[in-house]
Amino acid sequence: YDEVTKEKNSSNKKRLIKILGFIEENYDNDLLSIEEISEYVELSPHYTLKVFRENLNLGLMDYLNALRIRKSINDLLYSDKNILEIAIDNGFTNARSYHRVFKNVYGTSPKNYKNQNQNIQPSTNYVLQKKELLLELINKHIIKDYNDEKLNKIESNIIDVDMKISSKSKVNDSWKKIISIGKAIEGLKGDIQYQLKELKKDINPKFVKFNGIFNDEMNAYREDSNGQIFYDYSYIDKLIDFLISIDLKPYINIGFMPNKLASKSQYILDSNVNTSFPKDIKLWTNLIYSFFNHLIDRYGEQEVFSWYFEIWNNPNHTNTYWHESDEKFFFFFEETFKAIKKVSKEFKVGSPSITWIDGLWAEKFLIFLKEKTLNLDFFSFENYSVNIKNVYKNNTVDYKNILIDFNSDIKNIKIFCSKLKQSFNNKPEFIISEWNISPFPNFFYDTCYQSSHIVQTILNESNFFDGFIYWTCTENRIKTDIFYGGLGLFTTNNLKKSSYNSFMLLSRLGNELVSKGKNYIVTTNKNSVQLILYNHNENLIFNKEDYLSKKDLKNFQLNIKNLENSTYLVTKYYLNSSSGSIYDTWVEIGSPKKINTEIFEYLKSKEKMKIKIEETRIENTLILEESI
């Protein structure tokens, strides 16, 4: 070694001894943090972690947890303390975290360990115990055993990102381009308008999708007793005026059938939404022609030509969203399409929103479009993680042992869209017009699992598409239970769920992609760097009881190399069961059914994520260690 290297290594060894001594004295403090340790040794947190790992080849928190577990063995084997007491006395916040770390260190549960080692006499030689611990750490971490499955698992969560060889491609933000509410009438309600304002402020979408523009409650089409027809667009105007006032553009699903214009009484499940063929196709196309002329007159060509117009919803869900033959729908679609384009060819008109199911209907629709030479401006598809082929039969899904798999159909949709690119010269857009776990309420939507599902899905599946619409962003149902598994990012009383926070985090990513891989993404924007670390088990099967009792913890070390040497402000946002999740807060305070003002205000205060801010000097590399 040259003299500089010697001096640096010697200095780091001394710092390491100082760190180990401080941890030895304070391991039983459950509030002991990297920041506190760093302050004691007069180093920045990221440099403290770097010194520790470079010298022991082990993460600081891994060492601290191993030490706490080893210290607890005497209590476990030779005292009358219960597991909770042992956990708290040795620096853990609860029995669950103690149990998890114990199993990670010893490969078995505390109870099994105690049963297997009850006959071993307690050691009174503290120095020997300490020596044994250090030897265990050396054997396990310094002299690497590459056949050790646990070690390989830890290594797999070490992520290196080199800023110099980054991709620097554009970050696709199609996921926030278009958001959704349910029916058009909901957009006139105060709760929904509040939620849309919050979404615009925090996430800044450009469009909002809604269905049911011609449902009876919107009052657009009326007939008197003599058959005289009246068009009244005042409710629709109020909705669009509001959206424009908060800088949102409409994405309008054209449907459904006004009852006076319907040929039959055919409804979506138990709703009053009529989905029948019109009693007279000419009356329907007259309504379409009138409506689109009205939009140009009121809002101007330049504005309305930038909007999206989707014709109908799920026509391949027979006896629900459509009750006639496919051929009859194709005729209905052609007549509607021509009526819109007759007003102006510049309107952006797309396919019905198609649930993939098996792809046969989409292939049949494509053949129809080619025969009729109809060039659509965009195609839209729905994709849910749960296979919903038969889901509309009973308006419910049994989630008890369900496997959440978003990839089941999305790959086939992408393949079909690639075929569409070759079939049409006008380069149509491709939009996922609805996506989620399922189209019906379920327990997942209230929990942090949904937050990780959102991040995982958006970062890995949205890039192909021009729009990727989460269904649905708002919550309109009035329920006595604050948490009933509603689809929205809000509760019934306008509190923001943890899923809302996941959208906020995603919206703060930069516009240039540096690197993306399993469980992480790194971006840049001007002189700043943004990154998200997440833990999502996409093959998880669990129910409500499992969610509350099991946590899948992953340890990460992220090394961002070749940063410009400078002093940086590092801001961390934590989204987990103890930060930014009002559901877990609600469970923690006893799951009260009645939400009075005091409880509401308390839950409101827990909407926001925990934040840590530190100013640190970075020399080339930033090292982040997190357990997620």
Side-chain angles (χ1 to χ4, degrees):
Y1 296 107
D2 59 36
E3 291 302 316
V4 174
T5 305
K6 276 185 183 179
E7 186 177 342
K8 183 179 179 182
N9 286 345
S10 175
S11 175
N12 283 343
K13 295 290 184 185
K14 290 176 182 177
R15 286 167 171 162
L16 180 63
I17 292 169
K18 197 174 180 182
I19 292 170
L20 290 171
F22 187 73
I23 292 174
E24 180 75 27
E25 294 297 323
N26 297 278
Y27 76 91
D28 55 350
N29 177 6
D30 65 324
L31 299 177
L32 182 62
S33 65
I34 291 172
E35 287 77 9
E36 187 177 353
I37 297 168
S38 303
E39 186 177 343
Y40 176 76
V41 294
E42 298 178 338
L43 293 174
S44 68
H46 93 275
Y47 198 75
T48 301
L49 295 172
K50 184 178 181 181
V51 167
F52 204 91
R53 182 167 287 279
E54 285 182 351
N55 285 274
L56 282 183
N57 198 35
L58 176 67
L60 191 152
M61 293 308 296
D62 290 334
Y63 171 84
L64 176 58
N65 282 333
L67 177 65
R68 285 168 168 167
I69 291 297
R70 188 57 180 261
K71 295 281 191 181
S72 75
I73 292 299
N74 273 353
D75 286 344
L76 178 66
L77 296 180
Y78 312 114
S79 77
D80 295 328
K81 296 177 181 178
N82 60 39
I83 293 296
L84 179 59
E85 290 175 306
I86 294 172
I88 292 173
D89 288 349
N90 289 277
F92 292 93
T93 55
N94 54 56
R96 190 169 59 206
S97 60
Y98 174 78
H99 188 280
R100 171 177 44 76
V101 177
F102 192 101
K103 192 169 184 180
N104 187 49
V105 173
Y106 284 104
T108 187
S109 68
K111 183 178 179 180
N112 288 342
Y113 185 91
K114 183 171 183 176
N115 291 337
Q116 294 166 6
N117 296 280
Q118 280 182 329
N119 297 325
I120 297 176
Q121 293 300 311
S123 173
T124 56
N125 190 334
Y126 175 74
V127 176
L128 179 62
Q129 284 185 342
K130 188 173 180 180
K131 182 180 177 182
E132 286 173 352
L133 174 60
L134 289 173
L135 285 172
E136 182 182 319
L137 289 169
I138 288 170
N139 288 330
K140 190 173 181 182
H141 299 286
I142 298 178
I143 303 171
K144 294 184 180 179
D145 178 5
Y146 288 100
N147 294 318
D148 186 334
E149 287 185 16
K150 289 186 179 178
L151 181 59
N152 286 336
K153 187 177 180 182
I154 294 171
E155 291 291 335
S156 69
N157 289 323
I158 296 177
I159 302 165
D160 291 316
V161 176
D162 192 333
M163 298 297 291
K164 282 190 176 178
I165 59 172
S166 62
S167 65
K168 293 294 173 67
S169 59
K170 281 287 184 184
V171 173
N172 185 310
D173 62 354
S174 63
W175 59 270
K176 73 171 184 177
K177 177 182 174 181
I178 310 165
I179 59 171
S180 63
I181 60 177
K183 295 185 291 186
I185 193 65
E186 295 172 11
L188 295 176
K189 297 178 180 178
D191 281 354
I192 300 299
Q193 293 190 353
Y194 165 79
Q195 292 168 23
L196 285 172
K197 287 177 182 177
E198 290 295 291
L199 287 159
K200 182 64 184 178
K201 172 173 63 74
D202 291 333
I203 299 165
N204 194 28
K206 307 302 180 195
F207 295 85
V208 58
K209 177 187 174 179
F210 48 88
N211 298 328
I213 195 74
F214 294 137
N215 287 0
D216 275 7
E217 65 261 22
M218 293 303 289
N219 209 35
Y221 180 93
R222 288 181 290 142
E223 291 182 12
D224 65 15
S225 57
N226 298 318
Q228 178 82 23
I229 296 171
F230 300 93
Y231 300 137
D232 183 354
Y233 304 124
S234 54
Y235 280 2
I236 297 174
D237 291 343
K238 282 184 179 181
L239 171 58
I240 295 175
D241 289 351
F242 166 72
L243 297 177
I244 291 175
S245 74
I246 61 171
D247 195 25
L248 280 173
K249 294 175 180 289
Y251 179 120
I252 301 175
N253 179 278
I254 301 300
F256 292 99
M257 197 60 59
N259 277 307
K260 289 287 186 181
L261 187 47
S263 60
K264 299 174 184 175
S265 297
Q266 296 171 326
Y267 302 99
I268 300 174
L269 302 175
D270 57 354
S271 73
N272 61 352
V273 178
N274 198 315
T275 56
S276 82
F277 190 82
K279 64 183 180 183
D280 185 330
I281 192 66
K282 187 65 177 174
L283 293 179
W284 168 257
T285 54
N286 286 345
L287 169 63
I288 297 299
Y289 186 78
S290 166
F291 175 60
F292 278 82
N293 272 303
H294 169 77
L295 293 179
I296 287 179
D297 291 342
R298 185 174 179 88
Y299 301 103
E301 289 183 343
Q302 185 176 355
E303 176 63 27
V304 296
F305 291 163
S306 67
W307 301 353
Y308 288 86
F309 297 94
E310 180 182 274
I311 301 177
W312 214 252
N313 195 53
N314 290 321
N316 53 330
H317 279 303
T318 53
N319 300 321
T320 307
Y321 286 92
W322 189 255
H323 301 261
E324 311 289 344
S325 66
D326 291 342
E327 287 69 26
K328 202 163 186 179
F329 176 79
F330 296 155
F331 170 71
F332 171 79
F333 181 91
E334 182 182 8
E335 293 299 306
T336 307
F337 181 85
K338 287 179 177 178
I340 299 171
K341 292 292 187 176
K342 184 178 178 182
V343 178
S344 175
K345 292 182 179 179
E346 298 302 314
F347 280 111
K348 192 182 291 185
V349 185
S351 72
S353 186
I354 306 167
T355 299
W356 186 255
I357 303 180
D358 54 17
L360 296 178
W361 194 95
E363 293 285 355
K364 195 173 180 180
F365 182 63
L366 175 57
I367 293 170
F368 153 74
L369 293 176
K370 287 180 178 179
E371 288 177 350
K372 298 294 183 178
T373 62
L374 300 180
N375 289 317
L376 305 189
D377 298 292
F378 65 94
F379 287 83
S380 67
F381 304 88
E382 298 179 11
N383 191 52
Y384 290 94
S385 305
V386 174
N387 189 318
I388 58 170
K389 191 177 292 186
N390 301 312
V391 87
Y392 285 97
K393 290 182 179 178
N394 55 8
N395 196 14
T396 186
V397 180
D398 177 15
Y399 291 95
K400 187 172 183 181
N401 292 305
I402 206 158
L403 177 65
I404 304 305
D405 180 16
F406 189 82
N407 296 320
S408 58
D409 289 326
I410 199 75
K411 291 177 183 176
N412 292 324
I413 292 174
K414 290 178 181 178
I415 292 170
F416 183 72
C417 289
S418 298
K419 183 190 293 187
L420 289 171
K421 283 182 181 179
Q422 299 170 0
S423 301
F424 295 93
N425 297 324
N426 61 328
K427 295 182 179 179
E429 295 181 36
F430 303 114
I431 295 172
I432 295 294
S433 58
E434 292 185 26
W435 72 269
N436 213 319
I437 292 176
S438 91
F440 298 119
N442 71 75
F443 163 73
F444 298 97
Y445 292 146
D446 294 329
T447 71
C448 274
Y449 180 85
Q450 181 68 355
S451 305
S452 64
H453 176 67
I454 287 168
V455 172
Q456 160 84 5
T457 303
I458 285 175
L459 292 183
N460 291 286
E461 303 295 349
S462 68
N463 290 348
F464 180 88
F465 299 97
D466 300 287
F468 201 71
I469 310 174
Y470 181 82
W471 192 263
T472 172
C473 290
T474 57
E475 183 59 57
N476 182 58
R477 299 197 183 193
I478 304 300
K479 289 275 185 178
T480 54
D481 294 337
I482 180 174
F483 294 108
Y484 73 99
L487 277 69
L489 302 177
F490 298 81
T491 64
T492 57
N493 54 356
N494 291 332
L495 292 171
K496 294 170 184 173
K497 299 181 187 178
S498 60
S499 52
Y500 186 98
N501 284 328
S502 62
F503 275 94
M504 281 186 62
L505 290 176
L506 288 164
S507 70
R508 297 185 184 188
L509 288 172
N511 52 24
E512 284 191 342
L513 177 66
V514 176
S515 179
K516 187 178 77 170
K518 187 176 181 181
N519 302 119
Y520 80 95
I521 184 172
V522 180
T523 67
T524 61
N525 186 26
K526 297 180 180 177
N527 295 322
S528 62
V529 179
Q530 307 78 32
L531 61 100
I532 291 178
L533 272 174
Y534 63 96
N535 172 10
H536 179 70
N537 186 345
E538 57 189 341
N539 296 315
L540 186 66
I541 300 177
F542 69 77
N543 54 31
K544 187 172 183 178
E545 291 71 29
D546 287 340
Y547 174 81
L548 296 174
S549 62
K550 297 177 183 176
K551 292 287 182 284
D552 176 27
L553 189 74
K554 284 187 174 69
N555 296 322
F556 295 95
Q557 179 183 327
L558 182 65
N559 308 314
I560 305 180
K561 301 176 180 179
N562 286 316
L563 284 166
E564 181 183 342
N565 294 343
S566 184
T567 299
Y568 289 79
L569 189 69
V570 180
T571 306
K572 300 178 184 178
Y573 300 84
Y574 292 89
L575 177 54
N576 51 50
S577 58
S578 59
S579 169
S581 173
I582 58 170
Y583 174 81
D584 289 280
T585 300
W586 175 74
V587 171
E588 188 179 289
I589 64 174
S591 308
K593 296 293 183 185
K594 185 178 180 182
I595 307 298
N596 58 29
T597 302
E598 181 183 17
I599 295 172
F600 177 85
E601 292 299 333
Y602 180 72
L603 292 174
K604 184 76 176 172
S605 71
K606 297 296 182 177
E607 284 180 339
K608 295 185 181 297
M609 295 170 283
K610 189 183 297 180
I611 303 176
K612 287 185 181 179
I613 301 174
E614 60 188 41
E615 191 175 280
T616 185
R617 178 73 188 177
I618 297 176
E619 302 291 340
N620 185 269
T621 302
L622 171 65
I623 300 175
L624 293 172
E625 288 191 324
E626 296 291 345
S627 292
I628 300 178

